[in-house]
Amino acid sequence: MATEITWLGHNTWFVESGSHRILIDPFLDDSPTAPRKAGAIETDSILVSHGHYDHLSDAVNIAARTGAQVIGNYEICQWLKKQGVAEEKTLAMNLGGSVHLPFGRLTMTLAHHSSSLPDGTYGGTACGFLIQFVSGGRIYFACDTALFLEMKLIGMNKIDMAMLPIGDLFTMGPDESVEAIKFLNPKKVVPCHYNTWPPIVQDAEAWAAKVQRHSAADPILLEPGEHVTV
Ligand code: NI
Ligand code: MN
């Protein structure tokens, strides 16, 4: 029993936990770094952190083909229904809420970021995800966010692994992410939302060295397509 998490570039993650498959923030066919196309994904659940294109561009097509349940905030679920996703295939949540699902307990956590949908409509509030997997591992996906002090509250849960953006410009950058790690105190940390395009290129090796100098967390660098086991 283990949880295996594959980085598909940017903030797209494919989680296999026990017999469950969860896809987070699907951005594949238009991503310059994704190692797989949307048509190659089989999944049971899709989590969407906010309305920006680089987090949900393939949500509707993968949901339509696989019949996966799509989980996001209320506004994103309303938009999904307008795109043809069946109401019973959506699960609307909001910040601070938790739900028990077959794969584990999912909490929608605070994020500081905007969230408009591709058609310009209001996408609700951006979020992160904290998941306690039934098959083992408590994982925090910060998704797109600035550094914020309430990460200390999220860190009161014993986090096995945190996925943090380090790209800067649209999210926190490498230095802020090291402060985030001090608040969150995860055992392991994996960077994301960098090197997708030139404006968010970062030196991940330098970031990892800084994490080791300033925190107790073990930094893990992945290439798109590589996975970690929790
Ligand atoms: Ni965004
Ligand atoms: Mn983004």
Side-chain angles (χ1 to χ4, degrees):
M1 297 276 272
T3 298
E4 190 176 284
I5 305 174
T6 303
W7 189 38
L8 298 180
H10 209 52
N11 190 50
T12 306
W13 304 93
F14 183 64
V15 182
E16 292 164 281
S17 188
S19 62
H20 306 285
R21 300 163 299 182
I22 303 110
L23 180 67
I24 299 176
D25 280 2
F27 174 53
L28 296 164
D29 287 355
D30 290 342
S31 166
T33 59
R36 286 190 220 166
K37 290 293 182 190
I41 301 287
E42 295 296 335
T43 189
D44 309 300
S45 306
I46 301 170
L47 273 52
V48 177
S49 69
H50 64 291
H52 291 158
Y53 187 77
D54 59 319
H55 294 258
L56 58 45
S57 63
D58 290 305
V60 172
N61 61 35
I62 295 173
R65 181 175 49 77
T66 62
Q69 181 181 50
V70 193
I71 302 163
N73 68 26
Y74 177 79
E75 290 80 3
I76 288 171
C77 288
Q78 292 295 110
W79 179 82
L80 289 167
K81 282 187 259 178
K82 281 190 210 141
Q83 312 307 309
V85 178
E87 173 149 18
E88 65 271 21
K89 290 293 183 184
T90 66
L91 175 59
M93 301 180 66
N94 217 320
L95 296 179
S98 297
V99 60
H100 284 278
L101 293 165
F103 59 80
R105 183 174 192 263
L106 168 70
T107 302
M108 192 170 264
T109 57
L110 207 64
H112 284 281
H113 192 72
S114 61
S115 175
S116 51
L117 285 154
D119 60 6
T121 55
Y122 173 60
T125 308
C127 73
F129 298 108
L130 179 67
I131 309 174
Q132 173 64 62
F133 286 99
V134 172
S135 292
R138 186 179 281 117
I139 320 288
Y140 171 55
F141 297 88
C143 303
D144 284 13
T145 186
L147 174 67
F148 56 96
L149 190 60
E150 293 92 331
M151 283 180 175
K152 282 189 177 180
L153 297 177
I154 298 171
M156 287 167 69
N157 303 279
K158 283 195 190 318
I159 297 173
D160 293 302
M161 191 176 290
M163 284 34 185
L164 301 181
I166 66 162
D168 220 341
L169 192 64
F170 302 114
T171 65
M172 60 184 172
D175 292 346
E176 293 80 16
S177 79
V178 172
E179 297 307 310
I181 291 163
K182 293 179 195 168
F183 293 158
L184 294 163
N185 201 24
K187 289 186 195 135
K188 294 175 181 172
V189 59
V190 184
C192 60
H193 214 277
Y194 72 102
N195 288 4
T196 319
W197 302 285
I200 57 170
V201 166
Q202 296 295 342
D203 182 343
E205 302 276 352
W207 170 85
K210 193 168 182 193
V211 171
Q212 283 174 325
R213 275 201 309 279
H214 295 282
S215 81
D218 185 14
I220 298 173
L221 300 182
L222 299 178
E223 292 294 327
E226 291 184 339
H227 69 266
V228 283
T229 302
V230 183

